[in-house]
Amino acid sequence: MHWLLSLDTALFRFINGALANPFFDWLMPILSGNGVPWLIALVIAVPAVLLFGSARLKICAVLMVLVVALGDPLIVGTIKDAVSRPRPFVTLPDARHFGETGKGYVAPMADGMLPTNANVHSFPSAHAANWFAMATVAFLFY
């Protein structure tokens, strides 16, 4: 399994270093949910669905909310706790995080373990799981 971890780390370093640019350093924090545009989109979308949506769209939207609200903590959260894989920017001192090299790095303790407050789990991706769950609900309805 060491070869798989080495391949994973090399791919991360290539994407994180060689493909980095100022535009994505600005855009990605916004798209990852750390920005106000998602709140604005939600404030516009919810009343639009409730006022102008068909019964089918309303049921689809409610099921999307339920799938994410239940699946994220119960399934994704459980797997993240079981796997406990830290995010690469926490374990790699040369990783770029929001445009700054080494910003999120946390040095391991004397026993080689990370402090519990620094072990932000990365696998599986909650963003990917939630979007896939919503896409599956939309596919089943339409």
Side-chain angles (χ1 to χ4, degrees):
M1 285 305 262
H2 179 69
W3 66 271
L4 185 59
L5 185 58
S6 297
L7 179 65
D8 183 60
T9 302
L11 181 61
F12 171 79
R13 285 193 166 127
F14 172 70
I15 292 170
N16 187 259
L19 299 181
N21 63 64
F23 176 72
F24 284 132
D25 287 343
W26 169 82
L27 180 65
M28 289 306 159
I30 293 171
L31 294 180
S32 69
N34 297 331
V36 177
W38 289 109
L39 181 61
I40 294 170
L42 191 62
V43 167
I44 293 170
V46 169
V49 167
L50 294 176
L51 293 174
F52 305 112
S54 65
R56 182 180 210 154
L57 178 62
K58 291 175 186 175
I59 293 170
C60 182
V62 167
L63 286 177
M64 283 182 180
V65 169
L66 283 174
V67 163
V68 171
L70 295 175
D72 195 331
L74 295 176
I75 298 170
V76 177
T78 302
I79 296 171
K80 278 189 183 216
D81 289 341
V83 174
S84 296
R85 181 175 183 193
R87 296 186 184 276
F89 66 81
V90 172
T91 58
L92 301 173
D94 58 338
R96 296 175 71 254
H97 182 57
F98 293 127
E100 295 179 39
T101 301
K103 178 180 178 184
Y105 176 69
V106 176
M109 296 184 300
D111 60 0
M113 301 297 290
L114 288 173
T116 55
N117 62 344
N119 196 2
V120 181
H121 305 315
S122 67
F123 180 83
S125 168
H127 286 98
N130 292 337
W131 280 106
F132 185 79
M134 289 190 294
T136 302
V137 170
F139 174 78
L140 292 173
F141 269 81
Y142 296 100

